[in-house]
């Protein structure tokens, strides 16, 4: 292992033209968040998008769509693997807003992001090498969330409480991502690095089912679920920040592990 001496290079040292192998990096970046980076040892399954392409961003989008099955399993072949996106797992999620909202979720699993027919779609993608940024917007037509929950909340005049299994069906979710990258000098060699991913979620429609509300009383449980489904934003707005934070940490961690040994020249070769 090399001894690490951290030196962040200024933006002026970054090249201003897009080498062909950079496209490989951008393709996998979009896919894992679904977005992450792949540096050294690029798998052969990635199809190149030439830097002089008449529509570079669209070429990257097309390749990402082709990679959806591999993103589901995390297996890119040739002993090259990343964390699977099927399902996305958040171990714990806790929210407290005074007495009006208290919730704890465990084994929070998001499924369907990479489904063959209803998985993510890259709606927009824009690269900006001068600012060292990649921005993307993903549409997720259908997702399912399963979790253990412990909840106390107020909706209108109804005090809802319960502990058990949660299922949520989400449609038309949108995710916006921004990645910024830089270099680090280790033993005189420049390594590719990126900063924590910024991620924002916008929910569309949601259908909840919380089992065992009001200690399993069937009548009150039905009333509680109906109240939540008639006012879904009350619950979604409370959990949104925690979901965004956890996903940002997860995708940033995955990306850092993948590119930890990638030289800057491997990511941005001159030819």
């Amino acid at each position: 292992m090399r001894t690490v001496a951290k030196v962040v290079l200024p933006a002026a040292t970054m090249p201003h033209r897009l080498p062909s192998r950079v496209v490989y990096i951008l393709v996998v970046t979009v896919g894992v968040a679904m977005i992450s980076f792949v540096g050294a040892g690029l798998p052969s399954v990635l199809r190149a998008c030439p830097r002089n392409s008449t529509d570079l961003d669209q070429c990257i989008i097309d390749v990402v769509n082709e990679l959806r099955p591999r993103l589901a399993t995390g297996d890119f072949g040739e002993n090259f693997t990343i964390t699977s996106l099927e399902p996305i797992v958040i171990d714990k999620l806790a929210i407290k807003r005074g007495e009006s909202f208290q919730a704890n979720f465990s084994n929070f699993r998001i499924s369907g992001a990479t489904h063959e027919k209803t998985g993510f779609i890259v709606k927009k993608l824009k690269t900006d090498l001068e600012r060292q940024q990649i921005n993307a917007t993903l549409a997720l037509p259908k997702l399912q969330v399963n979790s253990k929950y412990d909840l106390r909340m107020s909706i209108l005049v109804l005090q809802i409480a319960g502990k058990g299994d949660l299922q949520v069906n989400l449609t038309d979710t949108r995710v916006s991502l921004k990645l910024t990258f830089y270099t680090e000098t280790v033993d005189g060699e420049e390594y590719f690095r990126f900063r924590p991913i910024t991620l924002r979620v916008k929910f569309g429609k949601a259908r909840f089912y919380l089992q065992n509300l009001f200690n399993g009383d069937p009548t009150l449980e039905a009333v509680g679920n109906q109240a939540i489904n008639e006012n879904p934003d009350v619950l979604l707005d409370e959990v949104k920040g925690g979901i965004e934070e956890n996903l940002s940490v997860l995708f940033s961690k995955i990306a850092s592990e993948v590119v930890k040994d990638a030289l800057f020249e491997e990511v941005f070769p001159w030819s």
Side-chain angles (χ1 to χ4, degrees), residues 66-236:
E66 293 171 7
L67 291 176
R68 184 180 290 107
R70 295 183 180 274
L71 294 170
T73 63
D75 184 4
F76 278 64
E78 303 169 355
N79 296 318
F80 192 101
T81 60
I82 62 173
T83 298
S84 168
L85 290 177
E86 214 47 71
I88 298 169
V89 178
I90 299 174
D91 290 332
K92 294 182 179 180
L93 189 61
I95 306 103
K96 184 175 182 179
R97 302 282 187 268
E99 296 299 321
S100 63
F101 189 94
Q102 298 181 43
N104 290 283
F105 302 93
S106 60
N107 195 23
F108 194 96
R109 291 165 291 136
I110 305 172
S111 304
T114 58
H115 190 276
E116 180 181 0
K117 295 182 179 179
T118 59
F120 74 87
I121 301 167
V122 183
K123 303 297 290 186
K124 295 181 183 179
L125 185 141
K126 183 67 175 177
T127 59
D128 189 332
L129 292 181
E130 290 190 4
R131 295 186 178 183
Q132 303 168 32
Q133 291 183 359
I134 303 167
N135 294 278
T137 299
L138 308 179
L140 296 115
K142 291 185 179 180
L143 296 173
Q144 180 172 298
V145 176
N146 294 89
S147 177
K148 295 290 184 180
Y149 81 94
D150 187 347
L151 172 71
R152 294 179 61 87
M153 66 180 293
S154 300
I155 295 182
L156 302 177
V157 298
L158 186 63
Q159 303 296 314
I160 296 176
K163 182 178 181 180
D165 293 322
L166 163 74
Q167 180 175 311
V168 189
N169 293 317
L170 299 169
T171 56
D172 300 328
T173 304
R174 295 250 174 171
V175 177
S176 299
L177 304 107
K178 180 173 76 172
L179 302 97
T180 57
F181 47 88
Y182 64 101
T183 60
E184 179 182 52
T185 298
V186 180
D187 289 346
E189 294 184 293
E190 296 179 13
Y191 283 78
F192 182 84
R193 299 288 185 259
F194 67 93
R195 306 186 191 281
I197 295 170
T198 299
L199 181 149
R200 294 290 180 266
V201 175
K202 183 178 181 180
F203 294 112
K205 297 179 180 179
R207 184 72 182 175
F208 289 86
Y209 176 63
L210 287 77
Q211 187 180 39
N212 204 45
L213 284 178
F214 301 104
N215 295 318
D217 181 288
T219 301
L220 292 177
E221 181 179 291
V223 170
N225 276 289
Q226 181 179 352
I228 291 172
N229 283 308
E230 289 177 351
N231 303 273
D233 290 343
V234 174
L235 185 50
L236 290 174

Side-chain angles (χ1 to χ4, degrees), residues 251-267:
F251 295 138
S252 297
K253 179 178 182 293
I254 293 171
S256 293
E257 292 173 348
V258 172
V259 300
K260 63 185 178 67
D261 295 323
L263 289 171
F264 177 81
E265 291 184 357
E266 292 173 320
V267 179

Side-chain angles (χ1 to χ4, degrees), residues 21-53:
R21 285 186 67 190
V22 173
V23 173
Y24 288 114
I25 307 302
L26 304 185
V27 165
V28 178
T29 296
V30 174
V32 169
M34 287 56 346
I35 285 186
S36 93
F37 271 54
V38 173
L42 295 170
S44 60
V45 297
L46 292 177
R47 174 170 59 85
C49 291
R51 62 181 176 179
N52 60 345
S53 171

